[in-house]
Amino acid sequence: QVHLVESGGGSVQAGGSHRLSCAASGLTDTTPCIGWFRQAPGKEREGVAIKWIRGGITYVAGSVKGRFDLFEENAKNTVYLQMNSLKPEDAAMYYCALDYRPSHCFGGQHDFITWGQGTQVTVSS
C-alpha cells in the first residue's frame, strides 16, 4: 500500500522561494504518475504539476509555469515541488497525490487515488 507524507510547508515572503517534499512509500513501477495539487480557502482544488514516476513532467499549471518545478529523488522515493517567485495567490494547502491511471497524468483530473495529508504554504506580501 502506498503512503504519501508531505513536509516543508511554512510562511514565505512574496518573491521568495520554497521547497515542498513528498516522501512516498510502497511505490511500484506500475504507478504511472505523481503530482502536486493545491487548494486555497473558497477555491477549487487545482493541479499544480504532475510527472511520471521515474520519468518526466507531464503537466504544469499555467499559473505556475516558469516559477515552479517538480523533480524526484529516486534514492529517497521523494518528490519535490520547488516554488520560486512566490506570489500571495500561491498560498494554499498543498497536497501530494498519485494515481495508477495514465489518463490522470496530464492535468484536468483531480480524483487521484492516493493523497497525502497536505502541507500549508502561506505567502506574505
Side-chain angles (χ1 to χ4, degrees), residues 16-120:
S17 297
H18 203 68
R19 181 179 293 179
L20 304 180
S21 302
C22 173
S25 60
L27 288 179
T28 70
D29 290 338
T30 61
T31 306
C33 54
I34 190 166
W36 286 92
F37 294 77
R38 67 184 183 185
Q39 188 166 21
K43 294 188 177 181
E44 292 187 356
R45 183 170 294 177
E46 174 188 20
V48 177
I50 302 169
K51 70 181 297 293
W52 296 115
I53 295 292
R54 311 290 188 252
I57 292 175
T58 53
Y59 172 79
V60 178
S63 57
V64 305
K65 193 166 291 184
R67 301 188 297 120
F68 288 17
D69 190 23
L70 172 66
F71 61 97
E72 185 177 0
E73 188 171 0
N74 293 346
K76 295 184 177 181
N77 275 341
T78 300
V79 175
Y80 301 94
L81 182 68
Q82 177 65 42
M83 305 182 291
N84 301 318
S85 302
L86 281 160
K87 304 176 181 180
E89 52 263 41
D90 293 321
M93 183 71 80
Y94 282 74
Y95 299 90
C96 179
L98 64 81
D99 203 277
Y100 300 96
R101 296 165 285 185
S103 60
H104 281 52
C105 303
F106 300 98
Q109 306 285 347
H110 296 170
D111 59 333
F112 274 44
I113 288 176
T114 302
W115 293 83
Q117 82 286 355
T119 187
Q120 181 72 43

Side-chain angles (χ1 to χ4, degrees), residues 4-21:
L4 303 174
V5 179
E6 302 98 332
S7 61
S11 183
V12 190
Q13 282 205 325
S17 297
H18 203 68
R19 181 179 293 179
L20 304 180
S21 302

